Amino acid sequence: MALLAWLRSTVRALLLRLCAALANAAVALPAASSQEASETRRQVAEVRQMLSGAEARCHVQLSIPHGPRTIRMFIDGVFDLTHYGHVNAFRQAKALGQHLVVGVNSDESVLQAKGFLPVLKNSERQRAVLGCRFVDEIVPASPYIMTAEYIEDLVESKGIDYFVHGDDPCIVDGRDVYESARQAGRFCTIPRTEGISTTDIVGRLLLLTQDHHTNLLEESATSSAGVFASQQSSFLVTSQLLRAFSGALPGHKGGQVVYVDGAWDMFHCGHVDLLRKAKNLGDLLIVGVHADAVVNKHRGSNYPIMNMQERVLSVLGCRYVDDVLLDAPWQVTREMIATLRLSVVVRGTVCDTVRRAAAEDPHSVPKEMGIHVELESEETLSLAVIAQRLQQRRQEVAERQKSKVSQEEAWYRQKHGLV
């Protein structure tokens, strides 16, 4: 038995060293063009995603014994301007166990710990998190800093086995927020989704709310190239991550097919509410996501804030979605209705796009066919509202943004040995 364990350990170490050596040899090969260099960067990101998955599986094997009893995981956070990075954290946290409980930090605790309020309100953040397919339940008004007493209460009242956080530091007043969870032997980490953060999203939104910059962008939006805030994104979508998200879809089933399209930019609780109501109209909900150029053509300025790949991941993370149509056509045609076997085509009453004349209505065909439904939007939250909130707090947010960008850049460079 001892010999077998030694052999397994030795082979594993050799394979990991071989993996690192091959990766170094691959990137050492000179690129003949910028396109080839870009493709190499994408391939490296895909390998990194594979290794992140292997790390998570290793963590499960070594730290979390699986048995007949359901393992309950807990992850908490502010989840302000909820994005697919948060959704990926939920996905990874749930994969470590079977049941995921998410604590959504209260406005009051965030203000006390950080000295500022989130952009989104308590209820808006809670509803966005509840809309995620990987989340089983939430704990509203969760404190930002975990105390030993709070951990004990969650263990007793919610049956929590392990507390999860990303591999980036979470320090307040020089102290690890998760110190109590670590000491209790109930803490584990997951790889943070790189290339996206709330800080990054706020930075893109700040561009939108700069009047002098917006005017310049509006002038250039008429050009063939266009200028989008989403072009600031440094996130690399790999096939591994896309499969991880799309693999959670329930799959096609018979019955009435409902279709709703949109930009789904800065995916928020208003979008979740609309998709929930749309899903109730049939058996299968297909969500169309418009390409960046299409969104910019109809919204102007430097929209979209997030690129199509980022927006697709956010939509895939919604529990009401059965399938996603990438690069969805702006005009819903008869051919499209027949091909996708659509029974109902939906739109909400709140929209970031300026409504045009009836002759230019992209839903004119389903209206003529009598299969169009307009759903009253219960939530009035929109990109314009979010941007307005940032504008009202512009000086405070801009100053804080400089510090956060610097901290995140330093952490990233240290993690990857780029210092």
Side-chain angles (χ1 to χ4, degrees):
M1 185 66 71
L3 178 60
L4 181 61
W6 174 85
L7 182 60
R8 184 170 57 242
S9 176
T10 302
V11 171
R12 181 186 297 115
L14 287 173
L15 288 173
L16 289 172
R17 290 194 182 98
L18 179 61
C19 176
L22 290 173
N24 287 331
V27 298
L29 295 173
S33 64
S34 58
Q35 183 177 0
E36 185 179 340
S38 178
E39 175 62 15
T40 301
R41 183 167 177 255
R42 185 198 65 77
Q43 291 170 346
V44 169
E46 186 165 343
V47 171
R48 184 182 298 133
Q49 185 67 33
M50 293 178 186
L51 291 175
S52 295
E55 181 184 11
R57 289 193 296 276
C58 182
H59 192 89
V60 171
Q61 294 171 1
L62 297 179
S63 303
I64 304 178
H66 281 231
R69 187 176 66 83
T70 298
I71 302 297
R72 297 171 66 88
M73 312 302 295
F74 180 88
I75 186 170
D76 75 325
V78 183
F79 308 121
D80 198 16
L81 304 178
T82 313
H83 51 72
Y84 61 89
H86 297 138
V87 176
N88 195 34
F90 300 153
R91 179 187 67 81
Q92 294 180 86
K94 181 161 185 177
L96 294 176
Q98 292 90 31
H99 187 93
L100 180 63
V101 180
V102 178
V104 183
N105 300 152
S106 67
D107 287 351
E108 295 75 18
S109 69
V110 175
L111 178 62
Q112 183 177 4
K114 292 190 170 186
F116 59 86
L117 285 169
V119 177
L120 299 184
K121 301 174 184 176
N122 277 325
S123 61
E124 293 168 342
R125 293 182 287 114
Q126 291 166 14
R127 285 157 58 200
V129 172
L130 267 175
C132 176
R133 68 173 69 253
F134 303 108
V135 177
D136 295 296
E137 59 179 296
I138 70 167
V139 176
S142 177
Y144 187 82
I145 298 179
M146 286 192 179
T147 62
E149 293 75 20
Y150 183 63
I151 289 174
E152 185 178 347
D153 178 66
L154 285 175
V155 171
E156 293 181 0
S157 63
K158 296 291 184 181
I160 301 302
D161 294 291
Y162 294 93
F163 296 81
V164 185
H165 189 262
D167 54 6
D168 54 319
C170 189
I171 307 297
V172 175
D173 296 330
R175 182 178 177 181
D176 183 359
V177 171
Y178 294 91
E179 180 181 347
S180 297
R182 293 181 193 274
Q183 292 176 349
R186 293 179 176 272
F187 182 76
C188 45
T189 63
I190 52 175
R192 175 179 171 177
T193 305
E194 296 177 5
I196 183 65
S197 67
T198 301
T199 304
D200 173 45
I201 297 300
V202 169
R204 300 187 211 177
L205 279 165
L206 284 176
L207 283 179
L208 186 70
T209 56
Q210 287 180 345
D211 294 336
H212 67 282
H213 190 56
T214 300
N215 291 337
L216 176 63
L217 289 168
E218 285 176 346
E219 291 173 5
S220 62
T222 57
S223 68
S224 58
V227 180
F228 315 139
S230 61
Q231 290 175 341
Q232 285 190 300
S233 174
S234 59
F235 179 65
L236 298 172
V237 179
T238 65
S239 59
Q240 287 281 321
L241 185 59
L242 191 59
R243 280 200 298 270
F245 271 64
S246 59
L249 294 175
H252 281 265
K253 50 186 178 290
Q256 184 160 272
V257 180
V258 181
Y259 177 76
V260 55
D261 60 352
W264 315 107
D265 202 7
M266 297 290 299
F267 197 80
H268 53 70
C269 62
H271 296 138
V272 174
D273 287 346
L274 174 61
L275 295 179
R276 172 181 56 81
K277 294 175 73 174
K279 178 63 179 288
N280 288 336
L281 296 177
D283 303 292
L284 177 77
L285 178 62
I286 300 178
V287 180
V289 182
H290 298 308
D292 296 348
V294 173
V295 176
N296 183 259
K297 177 181 178 181
H298 293 278
R299 293 192 176 180
S301 186
N302 61 341
Y303 287 114
I305 303 301
M306 306 182 81
N307 66 39
M308 189 186 76
Q309 293 173 319
E310 294 175 315
R311 292 181 281 116
V312 164
L313 289 178
S314 295
V315 173
L316 283 170
C318 181
R319 67 171 68 250
Y320 305 109
V321 177
D322 295 296
D323 205 351
V324 174
L325 178 63
L326 283 69
D327 193 8
W330 177 254
Q331 197 80 29
V332 180
T333 64
R334 290 182 180 272
E335 291 77 11
M336 178 178 168
I337 292 171
T339 300
L340 297 178
R341 300 178 182 177
L342 305 182
S343 303
V344 183
V345 176
V346 173
R347 113 177 2 157
T349 54
V350 173
C351 181
D352 289 301
T353 304
V354 177
R355 289 290 170 84
R356 300 177 181 273
E360 300 175 331
D361 187 351
H363 286 189
S364 59
V365 170
K367 285 182 177 179
E368 293 172 3
M369 297 175 63
I371 62 170
H372 189 268
V373 175
E374 186 165 83
L375 294 174
E376 187 69 32
S377 299
E378 299 174 4
E379 175 59 59
T380 57
L381 185 66
S382 65
L383 263 72
V385 172
I386 295 173
Q388 184 180 31
R389 292 181 189 178
L390 280 171
Q391 180 66 30
Q392 292 170 349
R393 300 165 52 182
R394 180 167 189 80
Q395 184 174 356
E396 169 204 345
V397 172
E399 292 175 356
R400 189 171 70 248
Q401 189 74 1
K402 292 179 182 178
S403 174
K404 287 288 291 181
V405 168
S406 176
Q407 291 174 10
E408 291 185 4
E409 175 67 16
W411 172 83
Y412 176 84
R413 296 186 68 82
Q414 181 179 12
K415 177 180 178 180
H416 295 288
L418 302 174
V419 180

